[in-house]
Amino acid sequence: MTLSLSLSLSLSLCVCVCVCVCVWQVLLVFAKDDAQSNSFCWACERAGFRCNVARTPEAALESFQEKNHDLIIMDHRHSRYFDAEALCRYVYSTCVCVSVVTQRYVENSNMMSCYNELIQLHHGEIRAQIKLRACNAVFTALEQSQEAIEISSEDQIIQYVNPAYECIMGYQRGELLKENTEVPKSEQNKPDLLDNISSCLRRGKEWQGVYYAKKKNGDSVQQNVKMTPVVGQGGWCVRECVCSGVLMCRCCGCVSDIQQSSKHKDRRKGSLDVRSTTSRGSDAGSSQRRHSSMARIHSMTIEAPITKVINIINAAQESSPMPVAEALDRVLEILRTTELYSPQLGTKEEDPHTNDLVGGLMTDGLRRLSGNEYILATKQLHHIPGHLTTPLSLNDIPPCIAQTMENEDSWDFDIFNLESATMKRPLTYLGLKIFSRFGVCEFLSCPEATLRSWLQIIEANYHSSNSYHNSTHAADVLHATAYFLCKERVKQSLDPIDEVAALIAATVHDVDHPGRTNSFLCNAGSELAILYNDTAVLESHHAALAFQITTRDDKCNIFKNMERNEYRTLRQAVIDMVLATEMTKHFEHVNKFVNSINKPLAALEENGSILTAPENRILVKRMLIKCADISNPCRPLELCIEWAGRISEEYFAQTDEEKQQGLPVVMPVFDRNTCSIPKSQISFIDYFITDMFDAWDAFADLPNLMQHLDNNFKYWKSLDEKKLHSLRPPPE
Ligand SMILES: *[C@@H]1O[C@H](CO)[C@@H](O)[C@H](O)[C@H]1NC(C)=O
Ligand SMILES: *[C@@H]1O[C@H](CO)[C@@H](O)[C@H](O)[C@H]1NC(C)=O
Ligand SMILES: *[C@@H]1O[C@H](CO)[C@@H](O)[C@H](O)[C@H]1NC(C)=O
Ligand SMILES: CC(=O)N[C@H]1CO[C@H](CO)[C@@H](O)[C@@H]1O
């Protein structure tokens, strides 16, 4: 004990550490074996480090060059053997590691104390290494982020900008990181805004809001930014462009910009230029609204990677010579016709309602499946009734029913009135009226009696026991489809056969729906899921069954008199539309529509070839039936509320059954005891509806629907703000 104290006065060792995190390699440079070097050898072994011993500086260098040791311990007690400091300098100059630390170790040949020293070095350096790595990771994340991020000091001197910032703002990093470059400021900000921001930051608070930033070319761009003070770091501030809310202003995702894709427009004009590029604003109010819709379409909040790729190529075409631009056109052609459209989930805020809706509607449920949860259910398919109720003709529809259908061509038509007036047979009656309005019998060369029988048998195969997916939903989708078919742009792009296909597809699109989602059927191992390999189970079934029912019996075979090729075309179109209602492909359909139709239409003056190209007609039809299928949030408030009640009830019933049968619960938020209906509607609108209807409205011009959507969204928000979970506020 005392020995070690006395030795410590005069002798020391030199320790040189350069760090690597795998198994430590230790090099001992000792001219002779002694108690000290033996203790270190023992300590290395005990700590699990690899240990080499070198006797001379030359041997030490050779060994170090070969193994790149993490730790070098040199005998510095006797300078007559060699110059330890020169060796240290050499290590400094060659070490490729992140850091080199030199320290002195006071001689102590006690084995435990050598061991402790090694462990402490190991620990301390590892910790430093982890910090460095974390730092590295944070910077990598900043570099990769698609949001523009800028870090500045308290006196507004730029310290860092990421590549997205360069890309969006048009600066090169080098020019901003020169000494004492200030954050570029736009004159368009009110002076007190800047004061407000800096006083907010000085108080250590984050500031978020709309702000004009100045691009390199002198333009001011409006951005939704978040500024965060870095507390305790000399007043640094992190400014970040956030991709949320309506004021998206293209600050994100680089250059998806309507001006940039339009070859005729001057891109220096502000974003309000959109109005002139859409070229169809009738009055100021509606074109203003259209502008905000278009702006949002071009920066869709839920963006698939392919959309970004297309935007980047569009932007590159701008500044490319003709042959390159043309080659890129062909690239775009290919990209638009392949299946690359799955969205990146999780780019939006994580929200349990959205997650459940995505999990429940967009997957086959297998993700959540494990082992013994796979239970085979024996599900009975509904039988087609052998007898039909008394046929009726358009001419002898009872007056009270005829009256409820008088305004069926209006969007605000009340389908629930018709449901009760027809004793739950709205599809047959509305079908007769709408099909005759569109001349479907004439087109198919089929007698009206056949159409009647067909509508009746199809309606009979909807399950009245479903609270949502019963024939009233089918009638509602038929109604929306007919409404959309009358829109000018839609008429310009579709042929009569497309119209007939759309009406038929709407009528049959959910036939024999069991009131459970695809994921449920897959989890339960239902017959249908097995038949269709867990892929688009319900939609495949609706399409297949519709044709089976129709062609099984001449009495209701509306296709019987069709020419073979025309029938094939019609059948193809109906199947395609019914399958398009499947939600796993939601973003693919919407993205394709936006990329192939909205964007080119907005960029060009003429519209003929875009609208009537066969591949685009398919996209229009898919979008049309998808929008009709989930148009509930765009209906007048009272209707919207009723639909929300029905769909929630159907999901609750599914959750009840899942619990009862011990199946995985696909959408846990839809539990009747805890569910907030307003929240679920808000998530559904945010995630699925807004982008889609913005795009559809930009195409078909549907201001009344967008107005309802706005009102309804506000209604759900107001309930949610009052923390209400119900469909309506409680009575006063
Ligand atoms: C700045 O703050 C004041 C007081 O809070 C407020 O009245 C003013 O509108 C703010 N200015 C801006 C441009 O936000
Ligand atoms: C559809 O379900 C609702 C219950 O949500 C019911 O009131 C209505 O009568 C059903 N409609 C049909 C046509 O079965
Ligand atoms: C289901 O998968 C099997 C085996 O791959 C295949 O033979 C069959 O055609 C598939 N059925 C459907 C409806 O896709
Ligand atoms: C060829 C074609 O369909 N052109 C139409 C383009 O759109 C305008 C109105 O938006 C119509 O007037 C044209 O007939």
Side-chain angles (χ1 to χ4, degrees):
M1 302 281 146
T2 48
L3 179 70
S4 64
L5 271 175
S6 64
L7 278 172
S8 69
L9 290 171
S10 56
L11 304 171
S12 69
L13 292 154
C14 181
V15 178
C16 181
V17 188
C18 72
V19 178
C20 144
V21 182
C22 38
V23 174
W24 259 26
Q25 306 243 21
V26 179
L27 177 61
L28 299 181
V29 191
F30 281 79
K32 293 191 297 204
D33 275 344
D34 64 4
Q36 186 68 64
S37 69
N38 288 338
S39 292
F40 273 122
C41 276
W42 175 87
C44 283
E45 195 172 312
R46 166 151 185 178
F49 305 150
R50 288 207 195 99
C51 175
N52 298 102
V53 183
R55 297 280 172 229
T56 64
E58 293 74 31
L61 284 181
E62 202 172 301
S63 177
F64 177 71
Q65 274 163 346
E66 185 191 331
K67 298 233 168 72
N68 255 303
H69 299 86
D70 306 294
L71 174 67
I72 304 174
I73 300 174
M74 281 171 275
D75 186 354
H76 196 223
R77 291 168 296 184
H78 317 286
S79 50
R80 65 175 181 279
Y81 293 133
F82 54 78
D83 182 353
E85 266 152 22
L87 192 54
C88 269
R89 278 196 299 277
Y90 174 79
V91 170
Y92 267 114
S93 68
T94 60
C95 187
V96 289
C97 308
V98 192
S99 67
V100 180
V101 184
T102 311
Q103 49 185 262
R104 280 168 193 278
Y105 173 77
V106 178
E107 178 170 19
N108 180 349
S109 58
N110 176 297
M111 291 196 197
M112 269 330 275
S113 113
C114 287
Y115 174 74
N116 284 339
E117 182 68 22
L118 283 185
I119 293 297
Q120 258 174 31
L121 278 169
H122 185 246
H123 242 74
E125 292 313 316
I126 293 280
R127 220 169 268 147
Q129 180 70 7
I130 286 170
K131 278 188 192 157
L132 276 172
R133 286 188 162 193
C135 212
N136 213 358
V138 169
F139 269 94
T140 308
L142 288 178
E143 292 282 291
Q144 298 302 319
S145 168
Q146 280 163 14
E147 295 180 0
I149 295 169
E150 169 202 286
I151 301 179
S152 64
S153 65
E154 189 171 30
D155 43 359
Q156 304 275 311
I157 304 296
I158 293 189
Q159 307 293 331
Y160 168 82
V161 298
N162 68 348
Y165 182 99
E166 292 182 283
C167 166
I168 290 161
M169 306 298 291
Y171 296 97
Q172 295 294 313
R173 215 189 282 213
E175 50 191 340
L176 289 176
L177 298 182
K178 277 197 304 235
E179 239 170 279
N180 294 336
T181 307
E182 280 201 35
V183 176
K185 292 211 182 59
S186 162
E187 297 76 30
Q188 272 179 265
N189 292 310
K190 296 210 185 90
D192 67 333
L193 178 73
L194 297 178
D195 292 345
N196 285 6
I197 293 173
S198 55
S199 86
C200 182
L201 293 175
R202 265 202 306 278
R203 278 179 286 126
K205 293 221 165 63
E206 172 182 298
W207 185 88
Q208 182 163 359
V210 178
Y211 173 92
Y212 286 95
K214 189 168 184 175
K215 291 216 225 178
K216 171 123 189 247
N217 64 9
D219 287 352
S220 290
V221 282
Q222 211 184 33
Q223 297 182 333
N224 198 0
V225 306
K226 188 155 107 186
M227 301 195 200
T228 315
V230 183
V231 179
Q233 297 292 314
W236 283 22
C237 155
V238 178
R239 188 162 75 95
E240 166 194 7
C241 236
V242 288
C243 295
S244 58
V246 178
L247 284 154
M248 294 241 335
C249 69
R250 293 178 270 287
C251 62
C252 316
C254 298
V255 271
S256 76
D257 189 330
I258 192 162
Q259 282 80 39
Q260 289 171 332
S261 59
S262 155
K263 299 201 166 69
H264 315 296
K265 303 292 165 191
D266 175 3
R267 73 155 111 168
R268 283 183 165 251
K269 280 189 203 159
S271 57
L272 285 168
D273 210 15
V274 181
R275 179 178 164 190
S276 59
T277 61
T278 57
S279 76
R280 34 198 310 270
S282 42
D283 63 76
S286 98
S287 59
Q288 197 57 47
R289 185 185 54 74
R290 176 163 304 282
H291 158 239
S292 72
S293 275
M294 284 306 289
R296 272 189 283 166
I297 289 167
H298 282 267
S299 47
M300 286 201 357
T301 42
I302 299 167
E303 200 170 32
I306 192 67
T307 313
K308 293 178 190 160
V309 170
I310 289 176
N311 289 336
I312 292 167
I313 297 177
N314 277 151
Q317 277 182 311
E318 265 310 272
S319 50
S320 304
M322 212 45 181
V324 177
E326 280 170 8
L328 290 175
D329 268 339
R330 286 197 296 280
V331 171
L332 287 174
E333 207 71 33
I334 296 165
L335 288 178
R336 281 173 180 150
T337 51
T338 46
E339 310 287 322
L340 302 163
Y341 285 81
S342 302
Q344 286 174 321
L345 294 182
T347 50
K348 278 203 152 181
E349 239 167 86
E350 291 289 322
D351 162 62
H353 295 82
T354 308
N355 281 345
D356 280 10
L357 287 165
V358 170
L361 301 175
M362 296 189 61
T363 71
D364 55 15
L366 287 177
R367 258 189 347 180
R368 300 176 188 224
L369 204 68
S370 74
N372 57 1
E373 286 163 338
Y374 198 77
I375 294 168
L376 276 166
T378 50
K379 191 185 157 298
Q380 282 265 285
L381 282 181
H382 281 236
H383 290 293
I384 299 156
H387 64 93
L388 290 171
T389 39
T390 345
L392 60 139
S393 146
L394 194 54
N395 297 323
D396 45 49
I397 286 178
C400 61
I401 296 180
Q403 213 181 350
T404 61
M405 291 197 297
E406 254 167 22
N407 69 335
E408 55 82 15
D409 54 355
S410 147
W411 182 252
D412 296 352
F413 168 67
D414 187 342
I415 195 96
F416 301 114
N417 273 343
L418 182 66
E419 179 187 71
S420 47
T422 57
M423 319 275 266
K424 303 193 182 188
R425 290 166 61 204
L427 185 58
T428 304
Y429 287 91
L430 189 65
L432 274 176
K433 178 134 191 228
I434 286 178
F435 278 51
S436 105
R437 174 150 67 89
F438 281 84
V440 174
C441 284
E442 290 79 354
F443 182 88
L444 298 173
S445 321
C446 101
E448 199 196 55
T450 310
L451 176 65
R452 274 198 313 262
S453 306
W454 181 76
L455 285 167
Q456 284 172 328
I457 196 158
I458 294 292
E459 181 152 36
N461 277 277
Y462 276 91
H463 301 192
S464 192
S465 53
N466 292 344
S467 46
Y468 184 86
H469 287 103
N470 57 41
S471 69
T472 308
H473 167 66
D476 182 53
V477 175
L478 175 62
H479 175 263
T481 300
Y483 183 82
F484 294 152
L485 287 175
C486 294
K487 292 287 148 186
E488 205 43 51
R489 270 267 179 79
V490 179
K491 282 203 287 201
Q492 279 174 25
S493 78
L494 300 188
D495 287 342
I497 194 165
D498 297 315
E499 291 183 1
V500 171
L503 295 170
I504 293 174
T507 307
V508 303
H509 85 281
D510 269 335
V511 68
D512 197 38
H513 195 295
R516 297 290 179 263
T517 62
N518 277 332
S519 354
F520 177 96
L521 298 180
C522 295
N523 284 339
S526 72
E527 278 175 39
L528 283 181
I530 288 172
L531 178 60
Y532 293 110
N533 294 337
D534 290 353
T535 310
V537 174
L538 282 169
E539 294 73 19
S540 304
H541 177 62
H542 304 317
L545 187 73
F547 281 93
Q548 272 170 31
I549 298 172
T550 308
T551 54
R552 170 148 51 198
D553 182 352
D554 276 357
K555 223 166 62 197
C556 60
N557 186 354
I558 52 175
F559 306 128
K560 201 177 102 191
N561 298 328
M562 285 187 86
E563 193 265 320
R564 171 192 278 274
N565 278 336
E566 209 164 32
Y567 171 65
R568 290 286 305 271
T569 311
L570 182 70
R571 173 173 152 78
Q572 183 66 57
V574 170
I575 292 173
D576 186 80
M577 289 173 82
V578 173
L579 292 182
T581 61
E582 192 219 348
M583 293 301 278
T584 52
K585 297 263 176 71
H586 174 82
F587 292 102
E588 176 182 332
H589 295 316
V590 176
N591 275 311
K592 280 185 175 172
F593 184 83
V594 168
N595 284 327
S596 302
I597 297 177
N598 283 134
K599 290 186 182 176
L601 275 183
L604 295 174
E605 304 296 344
E606 48 84 32
N607 40 23
S609 60
I610 294 170
L611 291 180
T612 52
E615 65 276 16
N616 285 353
R617 269 175 23 214
I618 293 179
L619 299 182
V620 171
K621 283 183 284 179
R622 288 179 185 162
M623 187 73 169
L624 184 151
I625 196 160
K626 278 186 64 55
C627 289
D629 189 25
I630 50 178
S631 66
N632 296 162
C634 303
R635 293 286 188 178
L637 181 62
E638 277 310 309
L639 306 183
C640 166
I641 295 174
E642 174 66 25
W643 287 123
R646 289 185 178 195
I647 191 69
S648 305
E649 176 51 40
E650 197 168 296
Y651 288 161
F652 293 160
Q654 171 167 318
T655 301
D656 291 344
E657 188 179 341
E658 284 163 341
K659 287 185 173 171
Q660 202 187 340
Q661 295 199 14
L663 290 169
V665 175
V666 178
M667 299 183 282
V669 297
F670 286 98
D671 182 315
R672 64 175 75 252
N673 302 312
T674 54
C675 182
S676 159
I677 295 178
K679 271 198 204 309
S680 72
Q681 287 291 311
I682 290 167
S683 298
F684 186 68
I685 292 174
D686 272 342
Y687 201 76
F688 292 108
I689 298 292
T690 307
D691 284 345
M692 182 172 78
F693 273 92
D694 277 343
W696 186 233
D697 169 49
F699 178 78
D701 192 19
L702 304 155
N704 50 337
L705 275 74
M706 300 312 278
Q707 187 61 55
H708 285 311
L709 178 58
D710 230 43
N711 291 348
N712 296 338
F713 187 75
K714 285 191 185 123
Y715 172 81
W716 298 122
K717 274 278 189 208
S718 75
L719 290 186
D720 186 45
E721 271 154 23
K722 294 185 196 121
K723 306 240 182 317
L724 295 171
H725 284 188
S726 51
L727 284 173
R728 293 169 208 277
E732 291 297 307

